Amino acid sequence: ETGVTQSPTHLIKTRGQQVTLRCSSQSGHNTVSWYQQALGQGPQFIFQYYREEENGRGNFPPRFSGLQFPNYSSELNVNALELDDSALYLCALRGQGLSNEQFFGPGTRLTVL
Amino acid sequence: SQQGEEDPQALSIQEGENATMNCSYKTSINNLQWYRQNSGRGLVHLILIRSNEREKHSGRLRVTLDTSKKSSSLLITASRAADTASYFCATDKGSARQLTFGSGTQLTVLP
């Protein structure tokens, strides 16, 4: 158990809708990243937040946005959902110190119909 | 885009045998990590090897890194049925130090 929780576990939406996914941990981690994992693929980096500011972004359009709160919980928002957005969405918290070990949550399975 | 590529894509072995997975990457890295994922759940960190290290051990895991060939290998010794999972290598680069994952190796250990 990594102590990282994500909600909801599963979600079904239709094209054009908006979705908010959530991530939290029992201990404070000031760096949170979000990844998208399509079926049969490795996770793809969406963006990263450090102290409530986005400080890195992968090749994802602006309709993917995020927030990090003072208590270090985080949200991933996706607008105008497309069928290809169907995937497992993972948040990851960076370990302390210089190591870049990441602690992943169990993920949210999003299905877009 | 995927930075790393794991090889093989799928591997099936008998319990007690050793399993070797390989990973190749394209650009210079800070470090390389291996993660395990059980059937569509979250990833679990296994081991990290820094760019100035050549070999690292953790329990039944042995990781090697060859920066001249831009490749790494993960060896799991005396495999168990519970080792059945997908294994991903991930490289660490960029100012945000985001992880770039390969497409993974699906390991099946038969009892």
Side-chain angles (χ1 to χ4, degrees):
Chain A
E1 289 293 327
T2 62
V4 181
T5 58
Q6 290 187 244
S7 62
T9 306
H10 297 88
L11 199 54
I12 299 175
K13 291 284 189 177
T14 56
R15 271 189 312 174
Q17 285 189 310
Q18 178 266 343
V19 68
T20 297
L21 311 180
R22 295 179 175 83
C23 173
S24 62
S25 73
Q26 297 170 345
S27 57
H29 292 262
N30 55 19
T31 304
V32 61
S33 301
W34 284 89
Y35 292 83
Q36 179 196 66
Q37 186 178 21
L39 200 61
Q41 300 294 318
Q44 298 260 359
F45 175 73
I46 302 175
F47 47 56
Q48 177 175 282
Y49 277 78
Y50 173 70
R51 293 184 175 178
E52 303 173 49
E53 297 279 339
E54 183 182 300
N55 74 336
R57 190 176 185 92
N59 189 26
F60 282 82
R63 60 189 185 84
F64 285 78
S65 63
L67 284 172
Q68 186 184 27
F69 300 100
N71 65 355
Y72 302 122
S73 64
S74 176
E75 287 182 356
L76 164 65
N77 299 289
V78 187
N79 294 323
L81 284 167
E82 301 176 359
L83 297 179
D84 286 348
D85 296 334
S86 294
L88 181 68
Y89 288 86
L90 299 158
C91 75
L93 306 182
R94 182 182 294 174
Q96 303 296 327
L98 297 177
S99 166
N100 198 23
E101 174 184 349
Q102 309 250 340
F103 298 94
F104 282 83
T108 294
R109 173 72 62 187
L110 172 65
T111 302
V112 182
L113 302 176
Chain B
S1 62
Q2 307 278 172
Q3 153 85 310
E5 291 296 331
E6 282 90 343
D7 166 48
Q9 289 186 334
L11 179 62
S12 184
I13 60 174
Q14 294 292 135
E15 210 166 23
E17 293 181 337
N18 295 342
T20 299
M21 289 160 269
N22 303 298
C23 167
S24 60
Y25 57 92
K26 298 173 184 174
T27 63
S28 61
I29 60 173
N30 296 321
N31 58 54
L32 185 143
Q33 305 179 44
W34 285 89
Y35 287 82
R36 164 196 168 123
Q37 184 177 40
N38 284 32
S39 61
R41 297 179 59 82
L43 282 79
V44 175
H45 179 266
L46 295 176
I47 195 165
L48 178 152
I49 186 165
R50 301 190 190 285
S51 59
N52 61 354
E53 297 177 313
R54 292 296 167 258
E55 188 171 312
K56 200 161 184 180
H57 298 254
S58 176
R60 293 185 296 115
L61 305 180
R62 172 179 170 251
V63 169
T64 62
L65 179 64
D66 187 335
T67 53
S68 66
K69 295 181 180 178
K70 292 187 170 57
S71 66
S72 173
S73 67
L74 171 67
L75 168 68
I76 304 175
T77 60
S79 64
R80 306 165 182 169
D83 294 329
T84 295
S86 292
Y87 291 82
F88 295 90
C89 68
T91 53
D92 168 354
K93 63 168 189 167
S95 58
R97 300 191 65 194
Q98 66 267 23
L99 296 182
T100 305
F101 287 85
S103 52
T105 293
Q106 173 61 51
L107 173 66
T108 302
V109 181
L110 303 170

